[in-house]
Amino acid sequence: SFQAVYTAETAQFGDASDIDGDAHLWVLLCDLGDVPGAYYDPGYTNNADMLVFDYRVDDAGQFGSHELMHDILGNYDIGEAMWVYEGTAMYATNWWGKGSGPYGDGRHMEYIGWANSTNIPLNWASYDTDLMKSMVQYEIAYLFMLYLSDRYGGPDLIGDLMRDGPSRDPAA
């Protein structure tokens, strides 16, 4: 259940945002179009703490853990680099046990194999319009977070990274 995801993830990585001061994280179920998914974007949720899920999403662990991690990081550092947002969110999906790969599909070696033939830097700043390149961007960021976790302190290190405070001016 999403409640289980919320309880575990906030205990490990940090507090969810509370920009509206009501102590609730709202989940909106709606039709997001052709591909079922979810998103977190504080700029589009009417100043409420909200995750948006396609009504066809049936895995709170995969989508919920990813989008909740965006909310948690946004609580501490809304101006964090995009690749850190996606890398930590992908890490959360794997930590929750829903596999790796941009869709939790465990296909990270396929994405990395494809990345070897591209010129995508780790510190990417915008989503690529090519779907495969975009998946590679997510995977590169995820594998870097996985490396940091494996080498330097596990999920506790990722939690510290999440809570380290603002890294840059979000207005810049």
Side-chain angles (χ1 to χ4, degrees), residues 125-140:
S126 64
Y127 299 103
D128 199 290
T129 56
D130 178 286
L131 181 60
M132 182 54 92
K133 286 183 182 177
S134 181
M135 295 300 96
V136 171
Q137 288 175 317
Y138 276 61
E139 192 62 25
I140 290 169

Side-chain angles (χ1 to χ4, degrees), residues 33 50 56 63 82 84 113 115 137 147 151 165:
M50 185 182 300
R56 296 165 290 182
F63 290 101
M82 190 176 295
V84 176
Q137 288 175 317
Y147 168 79
R151 184 87 167 111

Side-chain angles (χ1 to χ4, degrees), residues 74-124:
N75 184 40
Y76 294 97
D77 189 0
I78 195 70
E80 184 59 84
M82 190 176 295
W83 68 271
V84 176
Y85 260 99
E86 295 305 342
T88 54
M90 296 300 299
Y91 180 88
T93 303
N94 187 57
W95 178 79
W96 187 247
K98 294 299 177 178
S100 64
Y103 291 112
D105 59 9
R107 294 172 47 200
H108 62 268
M109 292 312 292
E110 179 182 335
Y111 296 118
I112 292 305
W114 194 85
N116 286 334
S117 65
T118 68
N119 188 21
I120 298 174
L122 171 63
N123 61 339
W124 51 274

